[in-house]
Amino acid sequence: MLDFSEFSGLVLFMFIFTAGFWLLIFLLTFVVPYWIGGTIWENIKLKRDAKKAAEGK
């Protein structure tokens, strides 16, 4: 059997481990695609603006 200090250490470890796991899942499914999509969208806007500026001259 575990005494209280071992049990509390195990609970703390499991909490940190699962929090890190869910943070990793969140980052890989929402933050990274949002960042990549925003970068692509910004590049498209910059190219479109450069094209408009080149046509206007």
Side-chain angles (χ1 to χ4, degrees):
M1 292 294 293
L2 298 174
D3 62 353
F4 181 72
S5 65
E6 291 173 337
F7 177 73
S8 61
L10 179 65
V11 169
L12 184 64
F13 170 75
M14 291 304 294
F15 175 75
I16 292 170
F17 180 77
T18 56
F21 174 75
W22 289 114
L23 180 64
L24 182 66
I25 295 296
F26 171 74
L27 288 174
L28 289 176
T29 57
F30 293 107
V31 176
V32 173
Y34 181 78
W35 175 48
I36 292 171
T39 303
I40 292 170
W41 180 251
E42 191 67 27
N43 285 335
I44 290 170
K45 283 179 21 180
L46 287 173
K47 288 179 184 178
R48 185 173 50 211
D49 291 344
K51 187 176 178 183
K52 284 182 183 178
E55 289 175 355
K57 289 184 178 179

